[in-house]
Amino acid sequence: MVNIDWKNLGFSYIKTPYRYIARWKDGEWLDSEMTEDNTLHISEGSPALHYGQQCFEGLKAYRCKDNTINLFRIGDNAKRFQTSAQRLMMPLIPEEMFIDAVKQVVDCNEAYVPPYGTGATLYIRPLLIGVGDSIGVNPAPEYIFTVFCMPVGAYFKGGLKPTNFIVSDYDRAAPEGTGAVKVGGNYAASLLPGKEAKSRKFSDCIYLDPATHTKIEEVGAANFFGITKDNKFITPKSPSILPSITKYSLLELAKDRLGMEAIEGDVYLKDLDKFTEAGACGTAAVISPIGGIQLKDKFQVFYSETEVGPVTKRLYDELTGIQFGDIEGPEGWIMKLIVE
Ligand code: PLP
Ligand code: COI
């Protein structure tokens, strides 16, 4: 185990020793290897650089009490990576290749998987980029698939402590655009609104549906959920948000384990006062309670600005209990890695 202050990790880049890399040329994936080199040497004409032809994923490895390591719903990340690649006309990574690459990366960097009980995890970032000599707006002639990782702590400062968000006037995605896939352009579009929100001391901004600006879509790089006064779990349904694996997990857990009605539907701004609790959910965000939302001149507080609400806490305990191997999850959610 390496010497890191696991309990005080934030969400920042740390160079771990090994990463996976494979190259695609003339219709096939070649030359996969583990490397210590964390730099990429690519053509100045690479379409990833000019036209944003790239996509990525985010998943985590969790250290269990018995020292084994869990991967959470990795097959769903592999499938979403394919959907993203397809949308931007990039070659698909077969599911087995994706899983094999992630396993190799975790295995080689095992000393960086944080100890059980610290709350920290190993964040894994698969990345696919279009490279090669090119200048027209066309799919790239070559591709690089790489997977790297680093230990992380809370994404939104405070973890389970509520933080506040502000509704943005900007959109991160267009109604029929690329909001539902995990491509860099969506995140480039979110940099300025995110910066403006943070400069006003909010954790991040909330995006509305781009067509009508009447409904909540996303919470920065996470999905939104709310708990109604009559104990329903509600999360937005929209073709322009990222289909969050955490969100689908919470829909299932709210229904099957907490006995709640769990709904994917519209979350109108005008109805925010029907929620007693609200939160952001995602791989990086885990479950981050929302204290309040600033909408123009109005500040809507949910459960509390300082305390996590009871339903949010139960969902958090159930989700993270499954991820860290303390609670049995639904079939197929956990892939166990036994590191020798
Ligand atoms: N929405 C956006 C824009 C994201 O970047 C993420 C992070 O992956 C999520 C939602 C949450 O998705 P998931 O739960 O699959 O990590
Ligand atoms: C994730 O939760 O994996 C994300 O992709 C968020 C990230 C953009 C920081």
Side-chain angles (χ1 to χ4, degrees):
M1 190 74 59
V2 287
N3 189 16
I4 288 179
D5 182 6
W6 307 106
K7 287 199 167 144
N8 290 310
L9 281 173
F11 195 86
S12 324
Y13 183 84
I14 291 175
K15 185 185 170 195
T16 50
Y18 301 100
R19 67 271 309 119
Y20 171 101
I21 187 161
R23 292 179 175 78
W24 185 96
K25 202 176 172 182
D26 301 326
E28 55 181 335
W29 285 106
L30 311 157
D31 307 333
S32 78
E33 59 172 341
M34 297 301 296
T35 170
E36 291 183 54
D37 185 359
N38 75 332
T39 62
L40 297 171
H41 190 75
I42 58 175
S43 167
E44 62 193 358
S46 294
L49 300 178
H50 299 262
Y51 310 124
Q53 197 195 18
Q54 64 85 256
C55 64
F56 69 99
E57 266 306 323
L59 68 159
K60 284 174 169 175
Y62 305 81
R63 176 83 67 182
C64 305
K65 216 182 247 168
D66 64 3
N67 223 27
T68 58
I69 294 170
N70 280 353
L71 294 172
F72 182 70
R73 304 191 71 166
I74 183 173
D76 294 323
N77 290 100
K79 289 187 188 83
R80 191 171 64 189
F81 202 50
Q82 292 188 339
T83 308
S84 301
Q86 207 157 25
R87 177 65 176 82
L88 296 198
M89 296 194 71
M90 300 195 276
L92 303 191
I93 306 294
E95 193 169 327
E96 318 77 72
M97 180 173 165
F98 182 96
I99 293 172
D100 175 60
V102 169
K103 279 177 158 176
Q104 285 192 57
V105 169
V106 177
D107 200 10
C108 290
N109 295 293
E110 194 255 332
Y112 288 80
V113 182
Y116 174 83
T118 57
T121 50
L122 188 77
Y123 184 73
I124 304 159
R125 174 54 61 86
L127 173 71
L128 174 62
I129 60 174
V131 298
D133 297 338
S134 180
I135 199 63
V137 183
N138 293 307
E142 295 167 31
Y143 294 86
I144 290 175
F145 169 48
T146 178
V147 181
F148 60 99
C149 68
M150 69 211 64
V152 297
Y155 180 69
F156 290 120
K157 226 172 160 192
L160 248 194
K161 207 173 123 3
T163 57
N164 298 331
F165 293 79
I166 181 167
V167 173
S168 179
D169 293 330
Y170 295 98
D171 296 320
R172 65 178 273 284
E176 303 298 329
T178 55
V181 287
K182 208 161 168 60
V183 301
N186 299 337
Y187 298 83
S190 76
L191 293 176
L192 180 62
K195 179 88 185 156
E196 287 183 4
K198 285 165 201 159
S199 72
R200 293 182 60 188
K201 306 284 179 241
F202 293 98
S203 273
D204 208 330
C205 52
I206 294 202
Y207 295 102
L208 303 181
D209 70 296
T212 70
H213 284 191
T214 57
K215 296 177 268 186
I216 287 191
E217 291 239 309
E218 299 243 42
V219 190
N223 274 185
F224 175 88
F225 70 87
I227 311 297
T228 61
K229 288 177 182 153
D230 55 353
N231 204 36
K232 291 182 184 140
F233 176 97
I234 302 184
T235 182
K237 186 174 179 64
S238 157
S240 49
I241 64 176
L242 192 75
S244 156
I245 294 163
T246 316
K247 181 263 288 286
Y248 285 116
S249 305
L250 293 180
L251 277 163
E252 206 171 318
L253 296 176
K255 180 169 160 287
D256 295 345
R257 307 245 170 139
L258 273 64
M260 301 170 72
E261 193 177 332
I263 303 162
E264 255 187 301
D266 291 329
V267 177
Y268 285 99
L269 284 176
K270 66 176 176 50
D271 295 336
L272 279 190
D273 58 1
K274 76 179 182 187
F275 293 113
T276 50
E277 296 179 37
C281 64
T283 299
V286 194
I287 291 181
S288 303
I290 299 178
I293 294 180
Q294 185 80 42
L295 168 62
K296 306 275 184 225
D297 296 336
K298 188 173 168 227
F299 186 64
Q300 171 82 40
V301 176
F302 298 98
Y303 184 73
S304 148
E305 277 188 78
T306 52
E307 301 291 323
V308 57
V311 181
T312 305
K313 177 72 168 64
R314 281 183 69 196
L315 286 167
Y316 178 89
D317 287 344
E318 194 69 31
L319 176 73
T320 56
I322 293 169
Q323 290 169 330
F324 284 102
D326 296 327
I327 299 175
E328 186 76 19
E331 202 177 327
W333 280 20
I334 296 294
M335 180 178 287
K336 203 161 257 309
L337 296 189
I338 314 291
V339 177
E340 304 291 312

